[in-house]
Amino acid sequence: MAVYILSRRLKSVSGLPLVLLMSSFVLYDLGESVARLASVSDSALLLPWIRVQWVGVSLSSGTYLHFAVNFATGRPLRDRPWLVPIVYAVSA
């Protein structure tokens, strides 16, 4: 699905936020799998992976807002670059 979107739909209104949403899920899944499959229980060693997981979780809220702004106006958010930091400030 990711290859299809990257090859065909990246220039559409929903292409970029969908790629960002998939990237946030990849970050979340990577951090989750490393933290769960680790054989050590030392929190100092697992903390970077837990942070990667939460970056993925927090990035997803900005991508959902990105979808909403794109579909409400009918034009891609990249046409209004000043609005991008405002939309992703939700993730911070």
Side-chain angles (χ1 to χ4, degrees), residues 28-79:
Y28 171 75
D29 289 338
L30 177 68
E32 176 82 16
S33 62
V34 170
R36 284 189 182 261
L37 296 175
S39 60
V40 296
S41 62
D42 185 19
S43 62
L45 293 174
L46 295 177
L47 187 60
W49 294 106
I50 294 170
R51 287 185 179 162
V52 166
Q53 178 182 359
W54 278 102
V55 166
V57 168
S58 63
L59 184 62
S60 65
S61 62
T63 57
Y64 290 132
L65 187 57
H66 193 161
F67 274 118
V69 170
N70 278 350
F71 289 127
T73 60
R75 7 180 272 206
L77 194 61
R78 65 178 174 260
D79 291 346

